[in-house]
Amino acid sequence: MFDQSLQTDYAGTRGPLFWLALKTSTLTVLTLGIYRFWMKTRIRRYFWSAIRPGGIALEYSGTGVEKLMGFLVAVVVLAFYIGVFNLILMFLSFSLLNNNVVAYLASFVGLIPIYFYARYRARRYILARTRWRGIRFGAESAAWSYAWRAMLLWLATILSLGIYLPRQIFRLEKFRTDRTWYGQQKFCQTGNWKMLLRGARHYYIGLGLTITAGLGGFVNQSMLGLLVLSLPWLAIGFVHLRVTAFRRMTDAKRLGNDIGFCAHPRTGRVLGIYLLGYFLVGLCLVMSMVLLILIAVVVMVMLQSGALGYDSFGALFSGKGKSAEYLVYVGIALVYFGFFILLGVLRQVFVTLPMLRHYAETLEIRGGHHLATIRQRPRDEFSEAEGFAEALDIGAAI
Amino acid sequence: MTLFMDAEMPVFADFMDGDAAVVHRVRVALEDTESGKVVYLHLTEGEPVKWSVRDVRRLRDQAGRDAVTYGLAGEHPARLVVRDASLNAELGRLCPHLDRHNNTPHLMRRLVILSAAAIASVALIVFVLVPKLADQMAVLMPAKGEQALGDATFKQIREALAQNSTTQLKLCDAPEGKAALEKLVARLLPGTDFPYDIRLHVLDHKMVNAFALPGGHIVMFRGLLNEAQSAEEIAGILGHEMGHVEHRDPTRLALRSAGSVGVLGLLLGDFAGGAVVLFLTERLIQAKYSQGAEAASDEYAHALLAKAGLPSSRMGDFFRRLGKKDKDNSLLSHLASHPDPVARIAAADAANTVADDYERVLDDQEWQALKGICN
Ligand SMILES: [Zn+2]
């Protein structure tokens, strides 16, 4: 049989996503945040269903209820950990060392393994609730060993002033990929970290210039001027590294022996989506705030002229016009929450959606006919969902 | 009877059985049978798959209008993707429960129980476990550690109360005023049996308040000095705060808030402006000791005053005046937060053993110097 290549279609559009995101985030504010678990669920359903490898959409099957329950469990565990742990640290730090620097440091360091643990668990939950062609994805339970590894690799990255980063990216990705399943077939990350080096050269140039500027700054203040050049270089080099790393590592992934992948996202396009996206987000925010201020001015003028049934403008601030005063509070609250709602919604529409489109449309699956041999895997109950990530507020963007 | 689409006008759809990752091209037919209407999915070979219209569900929040994905009620992973608009319309007409998705009623009950349990557990941690542990630790903490804790807390409070974030609130230290203050403390605590060096500070702030911090720090605000009408009133208040120091109340409180502030941050953290809420909550918690602790400190103050030959009824005068004033700026005041001011005033009056011709703690000049310590 010849090699069958599956292209990926993308069906997401701005309009429906905008209304879905606006509706769900408004509900989230109105329910004091409780609806956010359903909001996340519904937005994921939309994004997943927009990605159609070989013409069949991905499906997200998570629920809001299980997310809320997972969150509650995580809050109790973390409340115990943070409450008691902080207290003991504070006591020991003051009793033995007569200061609290160690306590602050330790309570921060103590959260780092939990952060990586939560990240891995959230990824496992999302995979367990993702289906394609009716077959579930899955990940093995390895959150603590992931946390341990991630901490060591990050430590190496920091101690090496960032030089170790490509190797860290590869090793963590390999750890995750080698524990990922589609049905009863396992993924495998082939290749090695050296294949990321070609895409890392701009990152290294930026890094080198930044370190030079930093060290030179001790000797001669004017060396710090180099940062103007080196920091943007470093930032763009970093994005380029991430994009090419994604490309190379996806190309080197295997599902079973016979199914491969081919990804070709482009750095220029990714940067363009970021820049244009955030420009549009900013533009829309400014325009809607201007509109709100205009409305407020009109309301004020109408109040002053008595058109709304209030005696005078002065009553608004004299304390006599109680209901007018509430009107002002409601207005302020509307602007405040409206701003954050709109920011989140616009970001989904102008940044996340086009970014997913780019990554989806440039993804191919090679050897698609071998998929027919892949069987279903049992459901991973995973009752805690992504509660820890939610409680620590490190949930993914979507 | 065939309801829709016979063999002459076949309509096809993509079917996945939820067992293998294969997309089957199936011919869809809708038929009336004895057991109700059924969707028949004819595979290229073998028996057709039958879906009762009552069990058919439509996936929600899907992108793209060109295709509709159907599944079955419950967790069954089989899926049918229909791209034919007229078939989608027909399915919409015939399937009565297309959008009924309450497949988790058992979870809802668990959710209610779990929510109650979670709230109870967090409350238990914040209000019982952390305070109990803090109380134990406060007793075990060496005096040096308490002093360090007090230094750190004092610095934080000065920073928090300052107008801008880069400075600390001004300390009042006019020399004559300080001398008067030292004289006052010497009268109250003539012996050396007090466990800490008392470190008395006056802060340049209009709040009518005084409070104690771990390790012997006692802090008064300028507002308190302005409000007081005699040095004896100040002596009473200092005595009360010394009581708190002696009983290690501030150490307990500081340890408690170290534990509960972290938890509150976790609970409130991801609301916008969480830091403000956090700060206020912390302050409110800090302003209050238990009724028992307040009463014990008052008794301690009465005893100190009696030993120093000063009347405790002056303390009562001060609270009487404070009570008459508007409670507007007493929100954060530890002194005004006493649960029962009437009983407190009565206790101060009743404890008084000193006649009216007592030796004044400060003369008029010294008293004026103390009041002007911030100038
Ligand atoms: Zn008190």
Side-chain angles (χ1 to χ4, degrees):
Chain A
M1 222 184 191
F2 59 91
D3 186 64
Q4 186 196 359
S5 169
L6 301 177
Q7 304 292 323
T8 305
D9 303 329
Y10 192 77
T13 42
R14 291 191 172 136
L17 175 66
F18 177 79
W19 292 115
L20 178 65
L22 187 66
K23 194 167 64 185
T24 50
S25 43
T26 308
L27 277 169
T28 298
V29 168
L30 291 180
T31 56
L32 302 176
I34 292 171
Y35 194 77
R36 79 165 184 266
F37 305 102
W38 282 268
M39 171 178 78
K40 260 196 159 163
T41 305
R42 297 187 63 180
I43 298 222
R44 273 185 197 158
R45 279 206 288 254
Y46 186 86
F47 277 130
W48 266 233
S49 71
I51 301 169
R52 297 174 174 176
I56 300 292
L58 297 179
E59 181 187 334
Y60 180 69
S61 65
T63 65
V65 179
E66 68 184 1
K67 283 192 192 62
L68 175 53
M69 298 211 300
F71 174 75
L72 291 171
V73 171
V75 161
V76 172
V77 173
L78 285 176
F80 182 82
Y81 177 75
I82 291 175
V84 173
F85 184 68
N86 272 2
L87 188 58
I88 292 173
L89 277 178
M90 182 102 160
F91 173 74
L92 290 179
S93 183
F94 275 115
S95 298
L96 304 177
L97 303 158
N98 298 336
N99 68 53
N100 57 358
V101 178
V102 176
Y104 282 131
L105 220 64
S107 81
F108 173 70
V109 170
L111 279 177
I112 293 176
I114 297 183
Y115 169 84
F116 287 115
Y117 172 86
R119 284 274 297 260
Y120 189 89
R121 299 281 285 186
R123 182 178 180 275
R124 181 178 152 203
Y125 165 73
I126 289 174
L127 280 169
R129 297 294 179 268
T130 299
R131 297 175 191 168
W132 180 58
R133 292 186 165 195
I135 302 296
R136 300 182 185 100
F137 285 81
E140 291 164 18
S141 52
W144 283 124
S145 81
Y146 179 75
W148 173 238
R149 221 161 280 246
M151 276 178 20
L152 284 183
L153 290 170
W154 266 104
L155 189 69
T157 306
I158 292 165
L159 290 181
S160 70
L161 298 175
I163 292 165
Y164 193 76
L165 184 67
R167 187 145 191 224
Q168 182 237 84
I169 291 176
F170 180 82
R171 288 188 58 183
L172 285 182
E173 180 65 21
K174 181 167 171 58
F175 184 93
R176 290 186 299 252
T177 305
D178 291 350
R179 284 157 187 78
T180 303
W181 295 70
Y182 174 61
Q184 304 209 5
Q185 190 64 263
K186 201 173 181 176
F187 281 88
C188 171
Q189 178 72 61
T190 66
N192 60 58
W193 68 278
K194 291 192 189 95
M195 67 192 187
L196 306 190
L197 282 178
R198 237 176 79 85
R201 63 180 188 280
H202 286 292
Y203 167 75
Y204 279 132
I205 294 172
L207 191 67
L209 289 175
T210 307
I211 293 172
T212 310
L215 291 178
F218 283 113
V219 185
N220 185 347
Q221 288 277 309
S222 63
M223 281 291 277
L224 289 174
L226 190 58
L227 289 175
V228 179
L229 173 73
S230 74
L231 284 179
W233 200 321
L234 181 62
I236 293 171
F238 178 74
V239 173
H240 185 60
L241 170 61
R242 297 303 313 214
V243 174
T244 51
F246 177 83
R247 199 157 65 199
R248 301 239 177 281
M249 288 191 294
T250 305
D251 293 354
K253 280 186 175 65
R254 298 281 175 274
L255 177 57
N257 290 323
D258 306 308
I259 302 168
F261 304 86
C262 180
H264 29 92
R266 294 184 306 278
T267 307
R269 191 65 193 284
V270 169
L271 282 169
I273 289 170
Y274 271 127
L275 292 176
L276 181 67
Y278 279 108
F279 172 74
L280 289 173
V281 169
L283 193 70
C284 288
L285 275 178
V286 168
M287 269 163 41
S288 46
M289 286 301 131
V290 167
L291 191 71
L292 264 173
I293 291 169
L294 279 179
I295 293 173
V297 169
V298 170
V299 171
M300 288 283 192
V301 170
M302 285 168 83
L303 280 174
Q304 195 167 20
S305 63
L308 288 182
Y310 296 107
D311 298 344
S312 72
F313 184 59
L316 201 61
F317 299 103
S318 67
K320 282 178 193 155
K322 266 288 178 218
S323 48
E325 199 178 308
Y326 289 137
L327 204 68
V328 172
Y329 289 141
V330 170
I332 291 170
L334 275 179
V335 172
Y336 182 77
F337 287 115
F339 181 86
F340 283 105
I341 289 177
L342 217 55
L343 178 65
V345 171
L346 292 170
R347 209 164 39 198
Q348 305 269 23
V349 171
F350 289 123
V351 182
T352 315
L353 182 111
M355 197 64 84
L356 273 181
R357 174 191 295 276
H358 181 56
Y359 274 90
E361 285 177 347
T362 53
L363 179 70
E364 274 175 59
I365 301 172
R366 294 267 168 82
H369 55 286
H370 292 290
L371 286 164
T373 57
I374 297 177
R375 317 298 289 190
Q376 184 65 285
R377 64 187 285 108
R379 184 179 147 82
D380 185 350
E381 275 306 328
F382 212 80
S383 58
E384 142 225 318
E386 52 195 339
F388 280 97
E390 280 283 353
L392 292 170
D393 205 20
I394 52 171
I398 46 169
Chain B
M1 188 190 87
T2 302
L3 293 163
F4 180 74
M5 305 294 163
D6 51 24
E8 288 158 42
M9 290 177 62
V11 173
F12 291 95
D14 288 335
F15 174 69
M16 291 143 288
D17 60 10
D19 185 47
V22 187
V23 184
H24 298 279
R25 202 71 184 141
V26 292
R27 187 168 57 80
V28 183
L30 296 158
E31 288 184 29
D32 232 344
T33 67
E34 288 153 21
S35 52
K37 295 181 183 105
V38 172
V39 182
Y40 277 84
L41 308 173
H42 296 281
L43 300 147
T44 42
E45 54 195 37
E47 279 288 294
V49 176
K50 292 177 224 168
W51 281 10
S52 164
V53 291
R54 301 183 60 78
D55 295 335
V56 178
R57 298 288 183 272
R58 177 162 56 193
L59 297 192
R60 292 162 287 176
D61 303 318
Q62 301 289 295
R65 290 172 195 284
D66 55 325
V68 179
T69 306
Y70 300 91
L72 291 169
E75 260 296 314
H76 200 288
R79 291 293 179 263
L80 181 71
V81 182
V82 178
R83 292 184 180 81
D84 184 288
S86 51
L87 177 56
N88 278 327
E90 194 65 10
L91 284 168
R93 205 171 58 77
L94 286 176
C95 302
H97 306 312
L98 262 190
D99 295 314
R100 180 188 284 181
H101 284 285
N102 56 345
N103 47 7
T104 51
H106 61 291
L107 280 184
M108 284 317 253
R109 199 175 326 118
R110 268 179 62 190
L111 177 64
V112 173
I113 296 169
L114 195 68
S115 305
I119 292 167
S121 311
V122 172
L124 206 69
I125 291 167
V126 174
F127 297 114
V128 181
L129 188 62
V130 167
K132 274 265 183 314
L133 208 59
D135 291 353
Q136 296 293 314
M137 288 177 174
V139 183
L140 292 173
M141 200 177 223
K144 263 224 149 46
E146 272 185 275
Q147 273 164 16
L149 179 60
D151 295 344
T153 324
F154 184 49
K155 195 169 150 254
Q156 270 172 17
I157 288 175
R158 278 179 69 189
E159 276 163 8
L161 289 173
Q163 297 293 319
N164 63 42
S165 52
T166 53
T167 59
Q168 293 191 341
L169 192 61
K170 197 186 141 232
L171 266 180
C172 299
D173 52 2
E176 296 85 11
K178 276 192 85 165
L181 213 51
E182 271 157 28
K183 185 173 174 195
L184 209 153
V185 174
R187 174 83 175 262
L188 275 176
L189 290 175
T192 49
D193 54 339
F194 206 67
Y196 310 95
D197 293 335
I198 288 287
R199 279 169 292 170
L200 198 52
H201 317 279
V202 180
L203 284 178
D204 194 4
H205 194 282
K206 64 180 188 327
M207 204 188 295
V208 183
N209 198 12
F211 57 92
L213 292 175
H217 285 281
I218 293 176
V219 184
M220 290 192 290
F221 289 118
R222 168 172 50 79
L224 180 78
L225 289 173
N226 293 346
E227 200 63 42
Q229 290 186 354
S230 72
E232 285 71 25
E233 292 178 7
I234 297 294
I237 287 157
L238 283 181
H240 174 87
E241 299 307 331
M242 286 169 183
H244 283 311
V245 171
E246 165 89 28
H247 303 138
R248 296 188 159 192
D249 293 333
T251 309
R252 266 183 213 110
L253 197 63
L255 286 175
R256 279 177 188 197
S257 51
S260 32
V261 160
V263 179
L264 285 170
L266 174 73
L267 295 180
L268 305 171
D270 51 6
F271 281 105
V276 182
V277 184
L278 201 67
F279 172 67
L280 243 170
T281 319
E282 188 198 7
R283 285 280 81 91
L284 285 175
I285 294 171
Q286 287 232 350
K288 281 205 169 173
Y289 294 118
S290 74
Q291 196 165 356
E294 293 297 352
S297 284
D298 272 355
E299 273 170 40
Y300 185 88
H302 302 158
L304 268 190
L305 290 170
K307 230 166 71 187
L310 291 168
S312 52
S313 50
R314 293 287 92 80
M315 222 172 134
D317 294 344
F318 182 79
F319 291 123
R320 250 190 293 273
R321 264 203 326 283
L322 211 64
K324 279 193 200 125
K325 287 208 135 193
D326 199 352
K327 291 188 173 75
D328 271 0
N329 66 354
S330 59
L331 176 67
L332 292 169
S333 169
H334 154 66
L335 286 171
S337 73
H338 205 281
D340 185 3
V342 180
R344 193 180 191 189
I345 293 164
D349 288 343
N352 193 21
T353 54
V354 178
D356 273 348
D357 57 345
Y358 59 90
E359 183 197 343
R360 303 285 302 274
V361 60
L362 298 179
D363 63 29
D364 283 344
Q365 200 186 347
E366 287 165 333
W367 172 230
Q368 289 311 319
L370 178 56
K371 289 195 90 157
I373 192 171
C374 288
N375 299 336

